[in-house]
Amino acid sequence: MTSIDSEEPSPPAPAAGGAETTATATAPEPPQTAPARRPEGFGALLARLHFYAGVLVAPFLLVAATTGLLYTFTPQFDSLVYGHELHVAHAGGSTVPLSEQVAAARAEHPKGTLVAVRPGSDDGTTQVDFALPELGEKTHTVYVDPYTGRTRGQLTTWYAETPLTTWLDAFHRNLNLGTVGRYYSEIAASWLWVLVLGGLFLWWRRRHGKRTARRLLLPDRSAKKGVRRTRSWHAATGVWLAVGLLGLSATGLTWSRYAGANFGEALDALHSHTPSVATTLATGAGGSGGTAKKADPAAIDGVLKAARADGLGGPVEIAVPADDASAWTVTQTRNLWPVGRDSVAVDAATDRVTDKVAFADWPVMAKLTRWGINAHMGTLFGLVNQILLALLATGLICVIVWGYRMWWQRRPTRSDRRAPLGAPPARGAWRSLPSWAVAVGIVVVAAVGWVIPLFGIPLAVFLAVDLTVGVLRQRRTTVSAGR
């Protein structure tokens, strides 16, 4: 929950007056006020961090939520924009041999190296990928009607994604700014979990003495207009979204630039990376021991037949080797639950499976990563997954807007207390913590900052700026007192 609550005490209640008040010759005593309730210790420290992180990091989260909301419905956008290329109207019946479909794609696009084929089924077209040096990681895809063998169009794709999906994917990842833009999304993912857990703790703490399920999970509709009402909507919505937002943060970090690299190293150390089939043929080129030649596209029919016979059902992608010294690979591409990711290596010279990796045999962490990525992208549970992601993104946008509204509502307005960025909780709360808690906290924060650099670096900047501002204010107060 990206709360931007200053935790400022409520203004003093007016002094009581009436018939019992008598005039005296002495100056009247100042009105009695109830002591202001201020957070102490760890709670105050967390409230201050939550405030600054909410003000400064929430814009990154707002952009990530908005772009993620757009990306959620890319399957529907693709069908609307590229329906002619992706789908056929006459689904069903017998299909022409896959080798003939590949030949039709090659005739339509004679340039480039054949690298992958995704056979069409039901109302989906067959997708044939050609690599060209000028396209880099992207490929030129020709779409073929599997029932007639006629081509239906061509697009430049990125890992089978259409141009629109590629653009929305990059917009969500890096705002289409390349490497520099990736900092924004990693900052958002790195701080989202901190804000969520911090917000949950602060809301739990604020509900002290009245922690019923209703008061924790539902907004206080009896509250009058103002910060209390806004806070209750902000916090209660955050509670409902918490698990989903933590999941988005974790899965987003797995493919981020810096934290993702550390995650990859951890998987390597634990031998938990996604396994792949061995494609080197033991007896040399094509099993004949001769000089390697280019792989023959016509062999694709036998390769697919061997993979199907070995149990690979559903949608698959066939990777074409550079030459006949390597095996072809056929990999399931089912992202819908239950996920299908079995893969086999096939010797095209003999149509024999030379290696196999079943998804059931993947390491647990590799499976969790695969499921998490699919859930993050909205493909694990189909339309239900998309709707849940849309609700999460919309809810996060609302939480952020309510957070900024609280910030505005709690801003000091008196001429002697104005603060352009609102009034954060008082600094120096760490001094009331036990020394062991401070020591443990420093070690934990340093370790997390090392693993997740774009959490650690902004945190160090927050602390440095906060410390500098505190020193300058202290000096100004000292100088003013000395006059």
Side-chain angles (χ1 to χ4, degrees):
M1 294 178 290
T2 54
S3 170
I4 309 173
D5 179 8
S6 66
E7 294 283 349
E8 283 291 301
S10 302
E20 294 182 4
T21 304
T22 57
T24 63
T26 60
E29 294 183 1
Q32 298 295 317
T33 61
R37 182 180 63 83
R38 291 181 178 273
E40 297 179 353
F42 178 74
L45 190 64
L46 184 59
R48 189 171 182 84
L49 175 63
H50 196 68
F51 171 83
Y52 276 121
V55 171
L56 300 175
V57 176
F60 296 93
L61 289 170
L62 185 60
V63 173
T66 304
T67 57
L69 181 60
L70 290 173
Y71 182 82
T72 297
F73 294 101
T74 50
Q76 287 76 15
F77 293 152
D78 277 346
S79 294
L80 182 65
V81 177
Y82 306 110
H84 182 73
E85 288 85 358
L86 296 173
H87 303 291
V88 295
H90 47 276
S94 60
T95 61
V96 302
L98 189 56
S99 58
E100 292 184 19
Q101 298 179 51
V102 173
R106 171 59 81 187
E108 184 73 16
H109 184 75
K111 296 181 180 179
T113 303
L114 177 67
V115 290
V117 179
R118 289 173 294 281
S121 61
D122 296 329
D123 70 339
T125 54
T126 294
Q127 302 174 17
V128 184
D129 293 346
F130 298 97
L132 292 92
E134 61 268 24
L135 293 181
E137 287 187 333
K138 296 182 178 180
T139 57
H140 190 89
T141 301
V142 179
Y143 298 85
V144 183
D145 184 331
Y147 304 102
T148 66
R150 299 191 185 97
T151 59
R152 294 182 60 85
Q154 307 178 44
L155 296 171
T156 298
T157 61
W158 182 67
Y159 293 103
E161 291 185 347
T162 67
L164 176 59
T165 297
T166 300
W167 191 90
L168 288 172
D169 184 284
F171 191 40
H172 180 58
R173 289 172 183 253
N174 56 42
L175 300 180
N176 285 297
L177 297 175
T179 302
V180 174
R182 292 187 67 179
Y183 294 128
Y184 113 83
S185 59
E186 187 162 355
I187 288 175
S190 298
W191 278 88
L192 180 56
W193 66 275
V194 180
L195 287 165
V196 170
L197 294 178
L200 288 174
F201 176 82
L202 292 173
W203 184 235
W204 174 265
R205 181 175 161 275
R206 181 174 284 276
R207 302 282 91 182
H208 178 66
K210 40 191 175 182
R211 291 176 186 143
T212 63
R214 174 180 173 78
R215 300 186 71 91
L216 288 170
L217 298 175
L218 298 178
D220 185 4
R221 302 186 66 180
S222 66
K224 297 179 180 179
K225 292 182 179 180
V227 69
R228 282 185 58 204
R229 188 178 183 88
T230 305
R231 184 194 297 118
S232 70
W233 279 95
H234 168 89
T237 304
V239 171
W240 282 97
L241 300 178
V243 172
L245 294 180
L246 290 172
L248 289 178
S249 174
T251 53
L253 285 173
T254 59
W255 65 69
S256 62
R257 184 175 185 186
Y258 296 108
N262 290 333
F263 179 73
E265 291 178 2
L267 289 181
D268 287 337
L270 296 171
H271 304 288
S272 295
H273 245 305
T274 301
S276 59
V277 292
T279 58
T280 302
L281 296 175
T283 56
S288 63
T291 304
K293 301 177 182 178
K294 279 191 175 183
D296 182 6
I300 196 169
D301 292 325
V303 169
L304 179 59
K305 183 178 180 180
R308 294 299 192 197
D310 202 73
L312 261 69
V316 296
E317 177 174 289
I318 304 171
V320 183
D323 53 52
D324 62 359
S326 300
W328 295 53
T329 59
V330 184
T331 304
Q332 291 177 320
T333 58
R334 179 181 169 86
N335 290 321
L336 192 66
W337 183 271
V339 170
R341 286 283 166 171
D342 293 358
S343 59
V344 296
V346 180
D347 182 349
T350 60
D351 291 337
R352 182 174 58 87
V353 172
T354 59
D355 192 21
K356 181 174 183 178
V357 173
F359 182 72
D361 297 329
W362 283 23
V364 173
M365 285 301 299
K367 288 181 180 177
L368 291 175
T369 301
R370 181 72 261 168
W371 291 328
I373 289 174
N374 290 353
H376 191 117
M377 297 179 71
T379 60
L380 188 59
F381 300 110
L383 183 60
V384 172
N385 201 158
Q386 291 178 281
I387 293 173
L388 289 175
L389 285 177
L391 291 175
L392 276 176
T394 304
L396 179 57
I397 291 171
C398 291
V399 167
I400 293 170
V401 171
W402 284 324
Y404 276 111
R405 179 172 172 78
M406 289 164 55
W407 177 40
W408 179 256
Q409 289 173 323
R410 295 300 300 266
R411 75 194 190 286
T413 56
R414 282 173 26 187
S415 58
D416 61 334
R417 293 183 62 200
R418 283 179 184 158
L421 293 179
R427 62 168 51 87
W430 61 271
R431 297 190 187 96
S432 62
L433 294 173
S435 56
W436 67 265
V438 174
V440 171
I442 291 174
V443 173
V444 170
V445 170
V448 174
W450 178 265
V451 175
I452 310 176
L454 290 191
F455 162 74
I457 294 173
L459 177 61
V461 172
F462 291 167
L463 295 176
V465 171
D466 197 41
L467 179 61
T468 302
V469 171
V471 170
L472 293 176
R473 286 183 177 175
Q474 181 65 33
R475 288 180 178 177
R476 187 163 57 245
T477 302
T478 304
V479 171
S480 300
R483 290 178 180 174

